[in-house]
PDB file of all heavy atoms in Angstrom:
ATOM      1  N   GLY A 952     123.128 192.940 130.780  1.00  0.00           N
ATOM      2  CA  GLY A 952     122.916 193.025 132.222  1.00  0.00           C
ATOM      3  C   GLY A 952     122.787 191.656 132.851  1.00  0.00           C
ATOM      4  O   GLY A 952     123.313 191.401 133.946  1.00  0.00           O
ATOM      5  N   SER A 953     122.089 190.753 132.173  1.00  0.00           N
ATOM      6  CA  SER A 953     121.896 189.409 132.712  1.00  0.00           C
ATOM      7  C   SER A 953     123.217 188.650 132.770  1.00  0.00           C
ATOM      8  O   SER A 953     123.532 187.999 133.779  1.00  0.00           O
ATOM      9  CB  SER A 953     120.898 188.637 131.844  1.00  0.00           C
ATOM     10  OG  SER A 953     119.615 189.232 131.908  1.00  0.00           O
ATOM     11  N   ARG A 954     123.995 188.728 131.713  1.00  0.00           N
ATOM     12  CA  ARG A 954     125.290 188.042 131.713  1.00  0.00           C
ATOM     13  C   ARG A 954     126.200 188.592 132.799  1.00  0.00           C
ATOM     14  O   ARG A 954     126.908 187.839 133.480  1.00  0.00           O
ATOM     15  CB  ARG A 954     125.958 188.185 130.342  1.00  0.00           C
ATOM     16  CG  ARG A 954     125.435 187.212 129.304  1.00  0.00           C
ATOM     17  CD  ARG A 954     126.533 186.751 128.357  1.00  0.00           C
ATOM     18  NE  ARG A 954     126.008 185.729 127.462  1.00  0.00           N
ATOM     19  CZ  ARG A 954     125.571 185.951 126.229  1.00  0.00           C
ATOM     20  NH1 ARG A 954     125.601 187.181 125.749  1.00  0.00           N
ATOM     21  NH2 ARG A 954     125.108 184.963 125.488  1.00  0.00           N
ATOM     22  N   SER A 955     126.179 189.899 132.966  1.00  0.00           N
ATOM     23  CA  SER A 955     127.024 190.521 133.992  1.00  0.00           C
ATOM     24  C   SER A 955     126.636 190.032 135.376  1.00  0.00           C
ATOM     25  O   SER A 955     127.505 189.709 136.202  1.00  0.00           O
ATOM     26  CB  SER A 955     126.906 192.048 133.902  1.00  0.00           C
ATOM     27  OG  SER A 955     127.658 192.668 134.910  1.00  0.00           O
ATOM     28  N   TRP A 956     125.326 189.955 135.649  1.00  0.00           N
ATOM     29  CA  TRP A 956     124.890 189.487 136.970  1.00  0.00           C
ATOM     30  C   TRP A 956     125.286 188.033 137.187  1.00  0.00           C
ATOM     31  O   TRP A 956     125.783 187.666 138.262  1.00  0.00           O
ATOM     32  CB  TRP A 956     123.377 189.633 137.129  1.00  0.00           C
ATOM     33  CG  TRP A 956     122.927 189.302 138.524  1.00  0.00           C
ATOM     34  CD1 TRP A 956     122.821 190.162 139.586  1.00  0.00           C
ATOM     35  CD2 TRP A 956     122.588 187.990 139.037  1.00  0.00           C
ATOM     36  NE1 TRP A 956     122.424 189.479 140.714  1.00  0.00           N
ATOM     37  CE2 TRP A 956     122.277 188.153 140.409  1.00  0.00           C
ATOM     38  CE3 TRP A 956     122.501 186.732 138.466  1.00  0.00           C
ATOM     39  CZ2 TRP A 956     121.889 187.090 141.223  1.00  0.00           C
ATOM     40  CZ3 TRP A 956     122.127 185.653 139.274  1.00  0.00           C
ATOM     41  CH2 TRP A 956     121.824 185.842 140.631  1.00  0.00           C
ATOM     42  N   LEU A 957     125.097 187.186 136.205  1.00  0.00           N
ATOM     43  CA  LEU A 957     125.440 185.776 136.342  1.00  0.00           C
ATOM     44  C   LEU A 957     126.936 185.592 136.582  1.00  0.00           C
ATOM     45  O   LEU A 957     127.349 184.778 137.415  1.00  0.00           O
ATOM     46  CB  LEU A 957     125.001 185.008 135.094  1.00  0.00           C
ATOM     47  CG  LEU A 957     123.492 184.843 134.901  1.00  0.00           C
ATOM     48  CD1 LEU A 957     123.183 184.267 133.522  1.00  0.00           C
ATOM     49  CD2 LEU A 957     122.877 183.977 135.992  1.00  0.00           C
ATOM     50  N   LYS A 958     127.755 186.356 135.868  1.00  0.00           N
ATOM     51  CA  LYS A 958     129.205 186.239 136.034  1.00  0.00           C
ATOM     52  C   LYS A 958     129.649 186.647 137.430  1.00  0.00           C
ATOM     53  O   LYS A 958     130.550 186.041 138.011  1.00  0.00           O
ATOM     54  CB  LYS A 958     129.916 187.103 134.991  1.00  0.00           C
ATOM     55  CG  LYS A 958     129.849 186.557 133.575  1.00  0.00           C
ATOM     56  CD  LYS A 958     130.525 187.513 132.590  1.00  0.00           C
ATOM     57  CE  LYS A 958     130.456 186.984 131.163  1.00  0.00           C
ATOM     58  NZ  LYS A 958     131.074 187.918 130.205  1.00  0.00           N
ATOM     59  N   SER A 959     129.028 187.666 137.978  1.00  0.00           N
ATOM     60  CA  SER A 959     129.447 188.174 139.286  1.00  0.00           C
ATOM     61  C   SER A 959     128.828 187.406 140.448  1.00  0.00           C
ATOM     62  O   SER A 959     129.305 187.508 141.575  1.00  0.00           O
ATOM     63  CB  SER A 959     129.082 189.657 139.417  1.00  0.00           C
ATOM     64  OG  SER A 959     127.670 189.837 139.392  1.00  0.00           O
ATOM     65  N   SER A 960     127.781 186.616 140.180  1.00  0.00           N
ATOM     66  CA  SER A 960     127.030 185.990 141.268  1.00  0.00           C
ATOM     67  C   SER A 960     127.192 184.481 141.366  1.00  0.00           C
ATOM     68  O   SER A 960     127.080 183.923 142.459  1.00  0.00           O
ATOM     69  CB  SER A 960     125.536 186.322 141.123  1.00  0.00           C
ATOM     70  OG  SER A 960     125.323 187.723 141.112  1.00  0.00           O
ATOM     71  N   LEU A 961     127.441 183.796 140.250  1.00  0.00           N
ATOM     72  CA  LEU A 961     127.532 182.333 140.241  1.00  0.00           C
ATOM     73  C   LEU A 961     128.925 181.934 139.770  1.00  0.00           C
ATOM     74  O   LEU A 961     129.221 181.956 138.570  1.00  0.00           O
ATOM     75  CB  LEU A 961     126.456 181.734 139.332  1.00  0.00           C
ATOM     76  CG  LEU A 961     125.008 182.154 139.631  1.00  0.00           C
ATOM     77  CD1 LEU A 961     124.052 181.489 138.668  1.00  0.00           C
ATOM     78  CD2 LEU A 961     124.628 181.841 141.067  1.00  0.00           C
ATOM     79  N   HIS A 962     129.772 181.557 140.703  1.00  0.00           N
ATOM     80  CA  HIS A 962     131.197 181.459 140.394  1.00  0.00           C
ATOM     81  C   HIS A 962     131.573 180.267 139.520  1.00  0.00           C
ATOM     82  O   HIS A 962     132.637 180.269 138.904  1.00  0.00           O
ATOM     83  CB  HIS A 962     132.012 181.430 141.697  1.00  0.00           C
ATOM     84  CG  HIS A 962     131.964 180.140 142.462  1.00  0.00           C
ATOM     85  ND1 HIS A 962     130.879 179.772 143.234  1.00  0.00           N
ATOM     86  CD2 HIS A 962     132.872 179.126 142.585  1.00  0.00           C
ATOM     87  CE1 HIS A 962     131.117 178.600 143.805  1.00  0.00           C
ATOM     88  NE2 HIS A 962     132.319 178.185 143.430  1.00  0.00           N
ATOM     89  N   ALA A 963     130.723 179.237 139.427  1.00  0.00           N
ATOM     90  CA  ALA A 963     131.068 178.061 138.635  1.00  0.00           C
ATOM     91  C   ALA A 963     130.296 177.991 137.320  1.00  0.00           C
ATOM     92  O   ALA A 963     130.451 177.033 136.560  1.00  0.00           O
ATOM     93  CB  ALA A 963     130.819 176.789 139.451  1.00  0.00           C
ATOM     94  N   LEU A 964     129.480 178.986 137.036  1.00  0.00           N
ATOM     95  CA  LEU A 964     128.684 179.011 135.814  1.00  0.00           C
ATOM     96  C   LEU A 964     129.389 179.837 134.751  1.00  0.00           C
ATOM     97  O   LEU A 964     129.832 180.961 135.024  1.00  0.00           O
ATOM     98  CB  LEU A 964     127.298 179.597 136.103  1.00  0.00           C
ATOM     99  CG  LEU A 964     126.352 179.730 134.907  1.00  0.00           C
ATOM    100  CD1 LEU A 964     125.796 178.361 134.524  1.00  0.00           C
ATOM    101  CD2 LEU A 964     125.210 180.694 135.223  1.00  0.00           C
TER     102      LEU A 964
END
Side-chain angles (χ1 to χ4, degrees):
S953 295
R954 279 215 175 97
S955 177
W956 186 89
L957 290 171
K958 288 177 180 178
S959 64
S960 303
L961 305 180
H962 74 283
L964 178 75

